Amino acid sequence: MKIERIQLQQHGDSRGMLIALEQDRNVPFQIRRVYYLFSTKCDVHRGMHAHRNLIQLAVPVRGQVTFLLDDGEGPCEVVLDDPSQGLLLRRMVWREMYNFSEDCVLMVLADQLYDPADYITDYAAFLRDVHVNGNGYQGDIAACLGL
Ligand code: TYD
């Protein structure tokens, strides 16, 4: 599947670095929720779900984490270790996260409030939704940012 990274402009000077995240500028959706993962145990596997209708941007503010992404056509691994690179997580993409470094702080921006009903937590059901029900990702977000 196509991996969509967003390069975030760094504002650096002798004092250090700053990155701003702005709705509809470098974040291609309405930001309605922000959450972050930290103090994650290094042997932990998180995620293991897809969202029916949610767009997210994951930014490794500190440290490193590996994502497995699958749009139904097979898994793809992505290492996130650069706070100036965000990873776009589209709807109907199965995601898993592992290999968290001890210091990892993973920030996630989302276009919807938390809704447990939006989760697909069964991989076989996810594949059925994509391949049998035709509910796979249709390419909406890339157009929105010109990616
Ligand atoms: P969970 O979905 O298990 O996290 P992950 O998919 O990263 O492994 O979420 C852990 C807990 O946090 C669970 O009780 C639901 C809660 N939660 C919220 O209350 N709001 C949120 O925005 C998120 C993402 C989770």
Side-chain angles (χ1 to χ4, degrees), residues 62-75:
R62 187 179 184 89
Q64 177 173 326
V65 59
T66 301
F67 269 78
L68 176 148
L69 301 180
D70 184 354
D71 61 2
E73 301 299 332

Side-chain angles (χ1 to χ4, degrees), residues 33 35 37 45-49 97 114 119:
R33 176 163 56 110
Y35 62 93
L37 308 181
H45 229 83
R46 297 199 67 135
M48 291 171 284
H49 62 255
M97 293 161 276
Y114 178 60
Y119 283 64

Side-chain angles (χ1 to χ4, degrees), residues 20-125:
L21 299 173
E22 295 181 288
Q23 174 175 314
D24 295 333
R25 288 191 170 171
N26 54 0
V27 179
F29 51 78
Q30 188 185 18
I31 303 165
R32 297 193 70 200
R33 176 163 56 110
V34 178
Y35 62 93
Y36 41 95
L37 308 181
F38 59 99
S39 299
T40 311
K41 306 282 184 295
C42 60
D43 57 347
V44 154
H45 229 83
R46 297 199 67 135
M48 291 171 284
H49 62 255
H51 288 280
R52 293 186 173 83
N53 271 307
L54 185 73
I55 301 165
Q56 295 179 294
L57 181 70
V59 182
V61 174
R62 187 179 184 89
Q64 177 173 326
V65 59
T66 301
F67 269 78
L68 176 148
L69 301 180
D70 184 354
D71 61 2
E73 301 299 332
C76 198
E77 267 195 343
V78 186
V79 174
L80 290 194
D81 60 1
D82 180 350
S84 71
Q85 281 209 347
L87 176 67
L88 206 51
L89 302 167
R90 301 168 295 155
R91 62 177 290 274
M92 292 305 286
V93 171
W94 185 265
R95 79 282 312 268
E96 303 182 13
M97 293 161 276
Y98 42 88
N99 290 344
F100 286 86
S101 62
E102 213 171 290
D103 62 346
C104 182
V105 179
L106 180 67
M107 181 172 67
V108 183
L109 286 68
D111 77 333
Q112 302 290 332
L113 302 181
Y114 178 60
D115 177 10
D118 187 59
Y119 283 64
I120 303 172
T121 54
D122 181 274
Y123 185 65

